[in-house]
Amino acid sequence: SLRLHYHVGPHDDIRERMQKAGSGEKAQLEGVAIAQEATLAARELGQGVYVMPPFNKVDLAVRVIDVLR
């Protein structure tokens, strides 16, 4: 039988951006920028977004949703 497998994950351009960012503060900034872009795109498609920061870093979630102001 033919089996189709789907991989759900970030697009190659997102992976490349995160890889270029490396780690630490620069990676956090890039991750926030990507999440902000996704939040703005989702704004056009639905009535809300669910933001869950890594490791309870609430400040990152706040920075993501600040783009909606």
Side-chain angles (χ1 to χ4, degrees):
S1 78
L2 177 63
R3 289 181 111 174
L4 298 177
H5 296 274
Y6 294 93
H7 173 75
V8 177
H11 288 262
D12 290 340
D13 60 328
I14 299 296
R15 290 177 201 257
E16 186 177 316
R17 285 173 64 181
M18 288 306 299
Q19 187 175 16
K20 284 181 182 178
S23 61
E25 181 68 22
K26 189 173 180 184
Q28 274 188 356
L29 292 173
E30 189 64 27
V32 167
I34 291 167
Q36 287 174 331
E37 293 165 15
T39 299
L40 289 173
R43 183 184 213 177
E44 303 299 318
L45 301 172
Q47 295 180 0
V49 296
Y50 183 81
V51 179
M52 182 182 236
F55 312 113
N56 296 320
K57 294 185 177 182
V58 178
D59 61 309
L60 294 179
V62 171
R63 289 178 8 203
V64 169
I65 62 174
D66 272 346
V67 74
L68 296 173
R69 293 182 188 198

